[in-house]
Amino acid sequence: MTGWVVAAGLALLVLAVLFYAVSIPRMAREITAAALLLGLAGYAWQGNPGLAGAPRKAAGAQAGSFDEGLAEQRRALAERYGPAGQWLMMSDGLGRQGKTREAANVLLSGLRQTPDDPNLWLGLGNALVDHADGVVSPGAQFAYRRAMAVDEKAIAPRFFYGLALARSGQLQPARDLWAPLEQTLPEGSKLKAELKANIARIDALLASEGANPQ
């Protein structure tokens, strides 16, 4: 309501100044009044006076949501260089700018050239999860599973698929992926210790919910 009062008040103030202070001709007064009425009509049509004032962010300016640590972990576990590395680097760059759709599309372009690259499928899964704000969509599930199918012994697809599931609240499926993977890793490795800690946290959460970890 305040927005309408301000708009109407400004319109009346402009009319008063033009009519009495400036003393414009009668013909000009009618044109001026019509212009102000059109302006108010446009405000009534498209304006939102009830909304609170706030600075507007540019569309897609969500670069702060890009998980740099997660990207570095993926680079440590998966391919850094070669054709896949170049596509992944471009995708990460777009992700930093908040352009999550474009980040996923870049990887799709790479997969058209090398459809059996597990690193690109893994990157696509991560990009689709990022685009969906953490939700493991059917497309992301397909990409992760495709990465695991192309290279059954690869560590990265199982790790990141499990991580995406755990972060989306799918604790038991995440544990089902991580437990066998943890068993295959050498003692003393950093990733094995991380997985053990993650699995222990999942078990505690499942126990608190009354579920028995399988």
Side-chain angles (χ1 to χ4, degrees), residues 14-92:
V14 170
L15 285 175
V17 170
L18 292 176
F19 286 11
Y20 300 107
V22 181
S23 299
I24 60 176
R26 182 180 180 83
M27 181 81 61
R29 291 182 184 184
E30 295 176 355
I31 295 174
T32 303
L36 286 172
L37 287 173
L38 283 174
L40 287 173
Y43 183 63
W45 179 36
Q46 293 188 335
N48 291 285
L51 294 180
R56 179 175 175 82
K57 295 182 180 179
Q62 301 175 351
S65 65
F66 182 78
D67 195 330
E68 194 68 56
L70 192 65
E72 179 58 35
Q73 196 170 23
R74 188 210 65 224
R75 288 190 289 268
L77 291 175
E79 183 180 353
R80 283 176 176 263
Y81 309 106
Q86 295 172 9
W87 289 110
L88 289 165
M89 189 180 301
M90 290 194 315
S91 178
D92 287 348

Side-chain angles (χ1 to χ4, degrees), residues 4 18 34 38 43 60 97 101 107 112 121 134 162 205:
W4 291 113
L18 292 176
L38 283 174
Y43 183 63
Q97 301 173 47
R101 182 186 298 275
L107 296 172
R112 291 189 189 99
W121 283 112
L205 287 169

Side-chain angles (χ1 to χ4, degrees), residues 130-153:
D130 189 30
H131 180 61
D133 294 326
V135 175
V136 185
S137 64
Q141 290 186 33
F142 177 83
Y144 285 128
R145 289 171 180 170
R146 182 63 181 148
M148 291 189 295
V150 172
D151 189 349
E152 296 179 357
K153 296 182 179 180

Side-chain angles (χ1 to χ4, degrees), residues 37-209:
L37 287 173
L38 283 174
L40 287 173
Y43 183 63
W45 179 36
Q46 293 188 335
N48 291 285
L51 294 180
R56 179 175 175 82
K57 295 182 180 179
Q62 301 175 351
S65 65
F66 182 78
D67 195 330
E68 194 68 56
L70 192 65
E72 179 58 35
Q73 196 170 23
R74 188 210 65 224
R75 288 190 289 268
L77 291 175
E79 183 180 353
R80 283 176 176 263
Y81 309 106
Q86 295 172 9
W87 289 110
L88 289 165
M89 189 180 301
M90 290 194 315
S91 178
D92 287 348
L94 290 166
R96 289 186 185 93
Q97 301 173 47
K99 299 177 180 179
T100 54
R101 182 186 298 275
E102 291 84 349
N105 285 337
V106 160
L107 296 172
L108 285 172
S109 298
L111 283 165
R112 291 189 189 99
Q113 293 186 8
T114 51
D116 292 328
D117 192 310
N119 296 293
L120 290 178
W121 283 112
L122 167 60
L124 179 60
N126 289 341
L128 290 173
V129 169
D130 189 30
H131 180 61
D133 294 326
V135 175
V136 185
S137 64
Q141 290 186 33
F142 177 83
Y144 285 128
R145 289 171 180 170
R146 182 63 181 148
M148 291 189 295
V150 172
D151 189 349
E152 296 179 357
K153 296 182 179 180
I155 295 172
R158 287 177 287 169
F159 174 79
F160 284 103
Y161 188 16
L163 185 62
L165 290 170
R167 287 183 167 184
S168 67
Q170 302 180 60
L171 300 181
Q172 187 62 58
R175 191 188 192 284
D176 293 341
L177 273 172
W178 277 347
L181 176 61
E182 185 269 326
Q183 293 295 322
T184 65
L185 297 174
E187 290 294 337
S189 71
K190 183 178 178 180
L191 185 59
K192 187 180 184 73
E194 181 178 344
L195 284 176
K196 275 187 174 181
N198 290 345
I199 292 169
R201 282 193 288 269
I202 288 176
D203 288 347
L205 287 169
L206 290 175
S208 69
E209 295 172 358

